[in-house]
């Protein structure tokens, strides 16, 4: 029997703490920059994903531009995990058209923006308590001419009106959200709630291997979920220069697909 989401307390306020930002990566040919509404300098980084043309005239090259706020206080950079997850989406781009896709902890939203450009019906989300993160989501939409993409504030572990108003999702995207162990259960509780709307929904997630001390196994069991590791080579992500960028470089990144356990 599936557990009711209210069986685990979800009232604790959880704020996503962005990890300390690295030095700004190369602009990859893009020199656009402008201050955002907070007066912080933002530059545009360009990613080009390449593949073989599809039988229906699908493009062989897709360009995504995302903002990066050059300020030490905010982790508004493209992280290695985001590039790997975006590559997984690109590899499966022909299955995305018409799918309802939600990115959580989106930040600069590289995976979500790519999904939208591949025809998915995308919603971007970040913490409702961090309005500057939501501003960055909006900037990414504007930069890629995607006014129809919805941006909402979702705080992990909170059953908010914005969460309740979301339609059933087919795919939930999460790059490098499993960073602070105290957030893990709130993340999975939110995902569990979404999977109650669509039991066939999947969480596509990448994480950077930083410590061997944490594991999702116990929490996945608690929330009736199962996990499959996807080899990077299976979607051409086992290289250092994905999408003509210097990311992910030599960082150790893992790709997971999490889904609800079948019940009888």
């Amino acid at each position: 029997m599936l557990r009711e989401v209210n069986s685990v307390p979800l009232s604790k306020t959880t704020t996503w703490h962005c990890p300390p930002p690295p030095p700004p990566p190369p602009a990859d040919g893009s020199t656009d920059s402008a201050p955002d509404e907070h007066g912080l300098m933002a530059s545009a980084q360009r990613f080009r994903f390449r593949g073989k043309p599809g039988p229906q005239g699908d493009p062989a090259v897709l360009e995504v531009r995302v903002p990066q706020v050059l300020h030490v206080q905010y982790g508004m950079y493209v992280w290695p995990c985001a590039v790997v997850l975006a590559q997984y989406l690109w590899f499966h781009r022909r299955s995305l058209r018409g799918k309802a896709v939600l990115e959580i902890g989106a930040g600069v939203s590289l995976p979500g923006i790519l999904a939208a450009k591949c025809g998915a019906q995308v919603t971007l989300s970040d913490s409702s308590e961090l309005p500057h993160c939501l501003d960055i989501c909006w900037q990414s939409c504007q930069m890629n001419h995607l006014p129809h993409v919805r941006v909402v504030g979702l705080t992990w572990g909170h059953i908010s009106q914005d969460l309740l108003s979301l339609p059933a999702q087919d795919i939930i995207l999460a790059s490098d959200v499993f960073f602070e162990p105290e957030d893990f259960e709130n993340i999975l509780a939110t995902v569990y709630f979404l999977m109650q709307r669509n039991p066939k929904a999947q969480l596509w997630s990448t994480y950077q291997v930083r410590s061997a001390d944490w594991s999702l196994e116990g929490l996945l069991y608690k929330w009736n979920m199962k996990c499959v590791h996807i080899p990077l080579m299976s979607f051409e992500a086992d290289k250092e220069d994905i999408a003509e960028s210097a990311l992910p470089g030599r960082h150790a990144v893992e790709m997971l697909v999490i889904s609800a356990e079948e019940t009888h």
Side-chain angles (χ1 to χ4, degrees):
M1 178 181 295
L2 289 175
R3 301 173 180 82
E4 295 294 332
V5 71
N6 290 331
S7 66
V8 172
L10 299 177
S11 58
K12 180 182 176 182
T13 299
T14 302
T15 301
W16 177 41
H17 299 284
C18 299
D28 292 328
S30 173
T31 58
D32 297 343
S33 64
D36 72 0
E37 66 179 41
H38 300 284
L40 302 176
M41 188 60 68
S43 63
Q45 187 172 8
R46 181 182 62 209
F47 295 85
R48 284 200 183 106
F49 296 84
R50 297 181 181 274
K52 297 179 180 179
Q56 300 174 341
D58 295 337
V61 180
L62 182 64
E63 180 174 301
V64 178
R65 298 169 71 86
V66 293
Q68 298 197 101
V69 178
L70 306 182
H71 191 281
V72 70
Q73 182 180 358
Y74 303 139
M76 295 294 103
Y77 294 93
V78 180
W79 297 88
C81 287
V83 186
V84 174
L85 182 55
Q87 173 67 14
Y88 187 76
L89 289 159
W90 173 246
F91 196 80
H92 294 281
R93 60 193 178 276
R94 295 183 184 94
S95 66
L96 294 176
R97 184 168 298 278
K99 295 289 179 64
V101 175
L102 169 69
E103 183 172 4
I104 61 174
V108 296
S109 312
L110 175 61
I113 293 294
L114 186 144
K117 286 196 165 189
C118 291
Q121 299 172 3
V122 173
T123 300
L124 304 176
S125 73
D126 214 311
S127 173
S128 57
E129 300 168 5
L130 297 175
H132 58 274
C133 289
L134 298 175
D135 290 341
I136 290 293
C137 294
W138 280 116
Q139 287 186 39
S140 291
C141 295
Q142 294 167 359
M143 207 172 270
N144 291 278
H145 310 291
L146 296 169
H148 60 283
V149 172
R150 184 183 179 192
V151 176
V152 299
L154 299 179
T155 300
W156 300 329
H158 276 223
I159 307 299
S160 64
Q161 187 57 47
D162 281 325
L163 181 64
L164 291 170
S165 67
L166 285 175
Q169 300 296 309
D170 298 304
I171 301 168
I172 305 157
L173 304 176
S175 68
D176 218 3
V177 301
F178 294 109
F179 182 81
E180 298 284 358
E182 60 264 30
D183 291 339
F184 291 179
E185 182 151 27
N186 284 324
I187 294 167
L188 291 180
T190 300
V191 171
Y192 177 88
F193 180 86
L194 293 165
M195 287 182 174
Q196 296 301 286
R197 301 278 187 86
N198 178 8
K200 295 183 178 180
Q202 293 183 334
L203 172 65
W204 294 3
S205 181
T206 47
Y207 72 92
Q208 188 170 326
V209 180
R210 298 182 176 93
S211 172
D213 295 335
W214 65 265
S215 172
L216 289 175
E217 185 176 357
L219 289 174
L220 290 173
Y221 176 80
K222 178 178 181 178
W223 288 98
N224 258 17
M225 296 179 188
K226 58 185 177 181
C227 174
V228 176
H229 282 76
I230 309 297
L232 299 191
M233 67 179 64
S234 69
F235 57 101
E236 301 177 2
D238 55 334
K239 52 187 179 180
E240 299 180 16
D241 57 348
I242 298 173
E244 301 182 6
S245 78
L247 295 169
R250 296 183 178 275
H251 297 282
V253 176
E254 299 285 344
M255 173 77 207
L256 309 175
V257 172
I258 296 173
S259 57
E261 284 277 13
E262 294 182 5
T263 56
H264 303 284

